[in-house]
Amino acid sequence: MPRQSGRYHRILPTFATPLLAAASLVGCAPASPGSGPEPQTITFSIEVANPTQNAYQDLAQQYMRSHKGVTIKVNPINLSSYNSTLTTQLQAGNGPDVFYVNSGSGQAASVAQLGKAGQLLELTDPGTTAAIPQNVKDLFTVGGKTYAVPVDLNAAGIIYNDQAARAAGVNLDATSSFSEVLTQCATAKSYGKALFGLAGAQTPNTAFFAMELAGSTVYGPTPDWNAQRAAGKTTLEKTPGWHAALDAVVKLNEAGCFQPGAAGAGYEALTQGMTRGDIFGFFAPGGGASDIMKAAHGAVKLLVIPFPSPSGKTYLTAATSDGIAANAKTKSPKLAADFIRWFVQQPQATTFANEKGDLPIGDVKAADLLPQYSGISDAIVHKQYAQMGYLGWSNGQVYDALGSGITGLLTGQKTVDQVLRDMDGVWG
């Protein structure tokens, strides 16, 4: 995560993803569903990088304050093991009542995968289903039935410390080209710094980074690429845009754009690199900027900028990737469904997104955006962005193959063709 040296050396002692933004949520709620025979205690599992206070926990506490007699036990699960933990629990019949879920079909713990397996509670309340924008309904439904709801919109890009970078003679903004990035990498390296931090040993981080590149090379120019792949009209290996995205990873690595030892690094490398001011940017949903600035108590100002396209037009990548769903086997279906319905209503939904540092679902005005989004406000307001493509992939193995493949590119153990063949091989 981007950190500046000097007076910022001591801030942000722990790494946090956008799922860890602290929140103070307010809002009114209907009366508790409370007095029925079903248990009035439910569990709520969430995906985190560190088990600290976060917006999901605060929202659960707000619900409990306004729904007397209800208890929600929040269970933070480490980001790197969340998907496997949740799927194992659900298959064993002891999963949480409500839980964070990935939209679409591209990961093991995603709406389509879990919905097809009969593990999700159908959500039928009109107040719940109306909260899903029409253009992303397919990411939260299976066979015409709604099984989850989005909680916010993530603008994916570079979380960037412009002030620290400029102090080292590095200049990068939302209008920069890919060739300019390579030049700035060299400048940063000459100062003993790295333009970007990368947790190369963490599949979620490496795959997410690659998807930012593919937003410009694949999904921006060809929004229906997933449909073409599903229909057998193309493959990853046959798509020039996929080659361009992964070739860019190789070029960035060869140019010294990442911190030393990036291929074997975990999230702590980003924390430490930020704390020491050794890196200026990292790849994550935009809410990561809010996390850091809150931890810094205003001592650092960050920006969210798109990663410059290695070929053609640069597209901002954004997605309704984060959702919540309920367990089909919950013993408290009314309570679980009511909590989800309440979660996505005003003012909870907007306050949640703002406190989390992301964007609220639906139409957005430039004046409503947080300052860190100023450089990409036009793209957000006019919805000129590419969707995060993996949400529509056939299964989670493809995403895993991408993440491990990027690590292989960094170490030289894989070629671009091999990575794409591996991904095609598990597409199914």
Side-chain angles (χ1 to χ4, degrees):
M1 297 166 72
R3 284 300 308 277
Q4 183 170 343
S5 57
R7 68 181 185 274
Y8 303 137
H9 180 77
R10 292 172 293 177
I11 59 176
L12 194 61
T14 57
F15 176 77
T17 71
L19 296 180
L20 297 177
S24 176
L25 298 170
V26 296
C28 299
S32 169
S35 58
E38 66 180 31
Q40 293 302 294
T41 295
I42 58 174
T43 54
F44 182 23
S45 288
I46 55 175
E47 177 187 80
V48 299
N50 288 305
T52 84
Q53 186 73 2
N54 62 76
Y56 289 92
Q57 290 175 319
D58 284 342
L59 204 61
Q61 291 170 1
Q62 174 65 24
Y63 185 87
M64 286 188 287
R65 285 195 296 269
S66 57
H67 293 72
K68 302 301 182 183
V70 170
T71 299
I72 301 177
K73 297 180 179 179
V74 180
N75 176 34
I77 299 176
N78 189 275
L79 171 68
S80 61
S81 61
Y82 181 82
N83 283 355
S84 60
T85 299
L86 178 63
T87 52
T88 298
Q89 290 175 340
L90 291 173
Q91 290 167 0
N94 59 1
D97 297 289
V98 180
F99 45 88
Y100 167 87
V101 67
N102 298 284
S103 68
S105 58
Q107 297 199 48
S110 62
V111 174
Q113 306 297 340
L114 300 179
K116 290 176 182 178
Q119 295 171 333
L120 301 182
L121 180 72
E122 183 182 359
L123 304 174
T124 59
D125 186 277
T128 302
T129 57
I132 308 174
Q134 188 65 38
N135 66 332
V136 296
K137 280 188 179 294
D138 61 321
L139 298 177
F140 298 90
T141 59
V142 178
K145 296 181 178 180
T146 300
Y147 288 110
V149 290
V151 293
D152 53 21
L153 175 69
N154 298 315
I158 305 167
I159 310 301
Y160 187 62
N161 190 330
D162 184 62
Q163 185 177 7
R166 288 183 181 276
V170 173
N171 294 284
L172 187 68
D173 60 33
T175 67
S176 296
S177 66
F178 185 76
S179 61
E180 288 171 337
V181 168
L182 298 179
T183 299
Q184 297 307 312
C185 287
T187 300
K189 190 173 182 180
S190 71
Y191 278 80
K193 311 290 184 181
L195 184 54
F196 304 123
L198 185 65
Q202 298 293 328
T203 296
N205 190 241
T206 51
F208 191 90
F209 167 48
M211 293 308 305
E212 288 191 26
L213 291 165
S216 289
T217 63
V218 179
Y219 292 100
T222 314
D224 66 341
W225 186 90
N226 282 350
Q228 293 185 28
R229 178 63 181 83
K233 295 180 179 179
T234 189
T235 65
L236 286 101
E237 192 175 10
K238 292 179 180 179
T239 303
W242 275 111
H243 284 270
L246 299 198
D247 283 337
V249 175
V250 176
K251 292 176 182 178
L252 290 164
N253 190 41
E254 292 175 346
C257 294
F258 309 123
Q259 85 278 13
Y267 290 119
E268 72 282 352
L270 305 183
T271 306
Q272 295 166 6
M274 185 72 64
T275 303
R276 294 191 298 262
D278 292 338
I279 59 177
F280 301 135
F282 70 104
F283 314 101
S290 181
D291 291 333
I292 301 169
M293 290 189 288
K294 287 178 181 178
H297 302 292
V300 61
K301 301 296 183 184
L302 303 178
L303 301 174
V304 180
I305 59 177
F307 195 94
S309 174
S311 62
K313 178 182 176 180
T314 293
Y315 286 82
L316 173 69
T317 302
T320 48
S321 55
D322 298 338
I324 52 174
N327 190 339
K329 295 183 178 180
T330 178
K331 295 180 180 179
S332 303
K334 293 180 181 179
L335 176 57
D338 186 75
F339 174 56
I340 293 175
R341 184 204 61 77
W342 175 89
F343 198 112
V344 296
Q345 305 305 310
Q346 296 292 338
Q348 293 89 239
T350 297
T351 304
F352 173 80
N354 288 340
E355 292 294 339
K356 195 162 164 276
D358 289 323
L359 305 166
I361 296 295
D363 293 333
V364 178
K365 297 179 180 179
D368 298 329
L369 298 177
L370 296 169
Q372 58 263 37
Y373 295 111
S374 60
I376 55 176
S377 61
D378 284 347
I380 294 170
V381 170
H382 298 294
K383 296 181 172 61
Q384 296 174 343
Y385 47 76
Q387 284 287 336
M388 186 64 75
Y390 76 86
L391 298 176
W393 288 358
S394 61
N395 61 72
Q397 296 179 62
V398 185
Y399 192 74
D400 292 340
L402 174 60
S404 60
I406 297 301
T407 303
L409 293 179
L410 298 176
T411 62
Q413 295 175 309
K414 292 271 189 180
T415 65
V416 169
D417 286 341
Q418 287 174 327
V419 174
L420 296 177
R421 281 198 298 270
D422 289 345
M423 294 172 68
D424 277 323
V426 294
W427 186 279

